[in-house]
Amino acid sequence: MRITQNEEVSFNTYKEYPYIVYVRVSTDKDEQKDSIGNQIDICRYWLEENHFEWNESSILKDEGKSGTLFLERTAMQLILQKARNREIKMVVFKSITRLARDLKDALEIKEILIGHGVRVVTMEEGYDSLYEGKNDMKFEMYSMFAAQYPKTQSVSISAALAAKVRRGDHIGKIPYGYDRIDQKLVIKEEEAKVIRQIFHWYNYHGYGMKTIVRMLNEGVENGEILPPRNKKHWQITSVQRILRNPTFCGTFILNQYTTIKVDGKKKQIKNPEEKWNVFEDHHPAIVSKDEWEKANNRKNVNSKKKFTPWNDLRGLLKCGKCGSNMVIVQGGNKKDGGHWRYLKCSAYRRSGKYGCVNHVPITYESFKELIVNQLQNYGIRVAELNLINNLENTKEQQVRNIKKRIDSLEDKKVSLLDLYLDKLINKAEFQRRNNQLDSDLKKANDQLFLLNKEETRQSEIKSILDAFNSLENSNENLHHVFKTLLKDVIIEQTGEIEINYAFENSK
């Protein structure tokens, strides 16, 4: 570990040299060497050995946060914000694995910190940016090793899970209709009767999902049928999952889903079938394979499947009774010339009267036309927003000038430090001039922040104005327009509506 090479060792107070000690554990089951207390002790030892004043308030923790999820680590986000605000001079952590387990994230964090003049120090790798420089291979190599670890661990875990499944053990949640005894699935007969009844109604009576849900909930109300485990009433989605799940015919599928990282967050996706590990006759079946295949026969499924019509207002329409999304359902008779599209509460659609209320008939086309007209009328009243753009013509030049001033002040700080190290000025003079430069820098950064905030506001105003102009093209996809202009629209059972505009706070 590199330490100061000066013959006269100076002691750095926390006020003079503010730093952050960053610690992280992904779960509360981490080994002792990676525990919070152990990480703090290691960092504290290095700080005190290198003549930095210890300060308990310097510790920032991410507990129960995976190193692969950059955006979900609030402490790390705060550190980066402090670096941008020039509030810290150094970040210390036990190892690069605590910083990030993703190569891209690790390099990005390092560049942000160093780019804002923050020293980066890790204990295990002996890395110190003060001596290594910006473009070093050492940090990249250790970051690459850290990124590879969770992938290797994932392969090992997958192999262990596959071995358990081959032995007949069940992993994951216990499905409806089963219990788990000695890690094996056993049929729970009372619940299994409901599963069999669902398949029987679907395969042999030809009932659709809505009819099955209604009959199940009537049975629940009469005490003849058990409800789902975690809800009081059956829903369409619950029935769909039961009919599509091969677990009920004795088949277990491993590696059906995987987790990927999208924009710093985890997202579950379905693997292609060739990657699945299928275990036939893994556990007792509630229905036969023939019954399950009949329910999932492509021709049979396609004849009963109804595709949800396109909805430009999706996610914005809310039920005034329960708060669920309003969705489109189709009605009418093909023989009479086509379908009508109505808006219904999604909770009512899933569970009928047991989920919510049935709204008065509201056709989607007429409702969309109403919303467009309301927005166009409102747009006339906000046309004066264009005037604001005329006041911002000089903003770009102001931003450029302030950035130049910030660069100049940073250069002056470096020159001032050189004067002090060359003993051309004493410590008191250095501190006085350095504090003045810090004050000027803070003022300049504050001005830049305010200008950029105003710039963002103007960008939002431009998006709003563009969205209003796009309303003229009512035959095109207007989803992005409605998302820009509307916060939500509350629809009461009687058909009364309340429109909440997204831009009301932007005026």
Side-chain angles (χ1 to χ4, degrees):
M1 185 61 62
R2 300 287 296 271
I3 62 173
T4 181
Q5 296 177 346
N6 295 337
E7 292 183 4
E8 294 182 8
V9 177
S10 59
F11 184 76
N12 297 293
T13 66
Y14 184 74
K15 185 176 181 181
E16 292 173 334
Y17 205 96
Y19 59 82
I20 293 292
V21 172
Y22 177 69
V23 294
R24 178 186 64 81
V25 289
S26 55
T27 70
D28 56 5
K29 297 179 181 179
D30 269 359
E31 295 179 2
Q32 180 62 32
K33 67 176 183 179
D34 285 330
S35 69
I36 291 288
N38 195 39
Q39 292 178 56
I40 293 172
D41 288 343
I42 292 171
C43 294
R44 179 173 182 172
Y45 177 79
W46 182 89
L47 287 162
E48 291 179 340
E49 282 290 300
N50 287 274
H51 314 289
F52 290 95
E53 178 188 10
W54 173 249
N55 191 312
E56 291 285 346
S57 64
S58 68
I59 302 169
L60 283 180
K61 307 174 187 177
D62 272 323
E63 298 183 77
K65 302 291 179 68
S66 170
T68 60
L69 299 180
F70 180 32
L71 294 179
E72 294 182 10
R73 293 157 59 193
T74 52
M76 179 53 67
Q77 294 296 330
L78 180 57
I79 289 173
L80 297 180
Q81 187 59 47
K82 285 180 175 290
R84 295 185 183 102
N85 294 340
R86 313 285 176 171
E87 296 176 15
I88 55 174
K89 294 186 178 181
M90 181 170 63
V91 177
V92 181
F93 42 92
K94 174 178 169 284
S95 69
I96 290 176
T97 60
R98 300 300 90 197
L99 177 67
R101 287 197 184 273
D102 179 274
L103 178 60
K104 177 176 175 291
D105 288 347
L107 297 179
E108 182 180 346
I109 291 169
K110 175 205 162 195
E111 289 304 314
I112 292 174
L113 293 173
I114 294 179
H116 289 83
V118 178
R119 181 179 176 184
V120 178
V121 181
T122 76
M123 304 297 104
E124 284 189 358
E125 297 82 10
Y127 173 83
D128 188 337
S129 63
L130 183 64
Y131 302 104
E132 305 289 352
K134 290 185 179 180
N135 302 315
D136 60 284
M137 289 293 294
K138 185 177 184 179
F139 189 93
E140 294 181 13
M141 288 178 60
Y142 279 115
S143 297
M144 187 168 58
F145 296 150
Q148 189 60 36
Y149 177 76
K151 297 175 184 177
T152 305
Q153 192 178 43
S154 176
V155 171
S156 301
I157 291 172
S158 296
L161 292 177
K164 285 186 175 183
V165 175
R166 282 193 292 271
R167 293 197 300 267
D169 291 357
H170 177 75
I171 57 176
K173 292 178 65 176
I174 303 172
Y176 191 85
Y178 287 97
D179 203 349
R180 182 161 53 198
I181 299 176
D182 296 329
Q183 303 303 315
K184 306 287 192 294
L185 285 183
V186 294
I187 293 176
K188 200 172 183 177
E189 194 55 43
E190 287 301 310
E191 292 180 351
K193 289 179 183 177
V194 182
I195 303 293
R196 296 188 190 105
Q197 184 67 72
I198 290 172
F199 275 89
H200 185 77
W201 281 337
Y202 189 77
N203 284 338
Y204 301 107
H205 292 269
Y207 293 152
M209 302 288 181
K210 289 183 182 177
T211 302
I212 292 175
V213 169
R214 176 178 57 79
M215 295 172 71
L216 286 171
N217 285 327
E218 288 174 354
V220 171
E221 198 170 57
N222 297 331
E224 300 170 355
I225 291 177
L226 291 177
R229 284 181 183 168
N230 300 321
K231 294 182 179 178
K232 294 181 180 179
H233 300 103
W234 288 94
Q235 299 181 352
I236 288 178
T237 49
S238 303
V239 173
Q240 287 174 332
R241 287 169 186 157
I242 286 173
L243 290 170
R244 305 289 175 257
N245 192 345
T247 298
F248 299 110
C249 67
T251 300
F252 187 88
I253 300 178
L254 189 66
N255 202 36
Q256 189 173 5
Y257 295 92
T258 190
T259 301
I260 62 172
K261 186 178 175 185
V262 179
D263 297 328
K265 296 185 178 180
K266 284 186 177 180
K267 180 181 179 182
Q268 190 180 63
I269 61 169
K270 199 168 189 176
N271 280 325
E273 290 189 22
E274 54 267 23
K275 289 191 174 183
W276 295 1
N277 296 325
V278 181
F279 298 85
E280 302 281 356
D281 302 317
H282 172 264
H283 53 267
I286 293 177
V287 298
S288 68
K289 282 188 172 63
D290 289 340
E291 284 185 277
W292 186 86
E293 287 174 358
K294 183 175 182 178
N296 288 272
N297 175 274
R298 186 175 296 276
K299 182 179 178 181
N300 187 38
V301 170
N302 289 343
S303 67
K304 295 183 178 183
K305 187 174 183 180
K306 291 184 179 179
F307 294 92
T308 303
W310 184 261
N311 180 2
D312 287 352
L313 290 159
R314 61 189 180 278
L316 296 170
L317 308 183
K318 304 294 180 182
C319 171
K321 177 72 173 178
C322 71
S324 299
N325 286 328
M326 298 289 288
V327 296
I328 294 176
V329 295
Q330 293 189 134
N333 194 323
K334 289 183 180 178
K335 295 180 181 178
D336 295 334
H339 292 292
W340 290 273
R341 301 197 291 174
Y342 294 97
L343 294 173
K344 295 290 181 185
C345 171
S346 57
Y348 177 82
R349 177 182 174 273
R350 290 193 300 268
S351 301
K353 65 180 182 180
Y354 302 99
C356 192
V357 296
N358 187 16
H359 286 62
V360 297
I362 305 172
T363 61
Y364 168 71
E365 284 76 14
S366 62
F367 190 83
K368 178 182 172 182
E369 183 180 352
L370 170 66
I371 296 298
V372 169
N373 290 336
Q374 289 289 326
L375 286 169
Q376 287 175 333
N377 291 335
Y378 204 108
I380 295 172
R381 284 179 278 159
V382 297
E384 63 268 17
L385 287 174
N386 282 308
L387 299 175
I388 301 175
N389 293 325
N390 298 327
L391 302 176
E392 302 302 319
N393 292 330
T394 60
K395 280 288 191 294
E396 285 187 12
Q397 186 59 46
Q398 291 176 334
V399 169
R400 283 196 293 269
N401 291 340
I402 291 175
K403 285 182 176 179
K404 286 181 182 178
R405 176 163 171 73
I406 290 173
D407 290 340
S408 174
L409 291 169
E410 292 284 4
D411 291 339
K412 287 181 180 179
K413 281 178 66 67
V414 174
S415 300
L416 182 64
L417 180 60
D418 289 338
L419 290 174
Y420 175 63
L421 293 176
D422 292 338
K423 302 186 183 303
L424 297 176
I425 58 174
N426 58 32
K427 186 174 182 180
E429 178 65 14
F430 169 77
Q431 288 179 334
R432 184 187 66 78
R433 291 167 62 176
N434 193 61
N435 289 341
Q436 182 60 50
L437 288 172
D438 284 341
S439 176
D440 293 341
L441 265 173
K442 185 178 185 305
K443 189 181 297 183
N445 278 303
D446 288 344
Q447 289 174 342
L448 185 61
F449 174 79
L450 292 173
L451 281 172
N452 285 334
K453 188 175 181 181
E454 186 66 21
E455 188 178 71
T456 302
R457 181 171 175 267
Q458 292 307 308
S459 176
E460 292 172 354
I461 290 172
K462 184 179 183 302
S463 298
I464 291 169
L465 293 172
D466 289 343
F468 274 118
N469 292 330
S470 298
L471 288 171
E472 299 297 331
N473 305 317
S474 58
N475 293 327
E476 297 183 3
N477 174 16
L478 296 180
H479 178 62
H480 69 288
V481 174
F482 291 139
K483 286 280 286 183
T484 300
L485 300 178
L486 297 172
K487 181 181 178 183
D488 56 38
V489 180
I490 310 299
I491 305 178
E492 302 294 341
Q493 184 184 7
T494 59
E496 295 178 358
I497 67 170
E498 176 189 340
I499 302 176
N500 297 309
Y501 299 99
F503 53 81
E504 286 183 329
N505 292 329
S506 298
K507 291 190 295 179

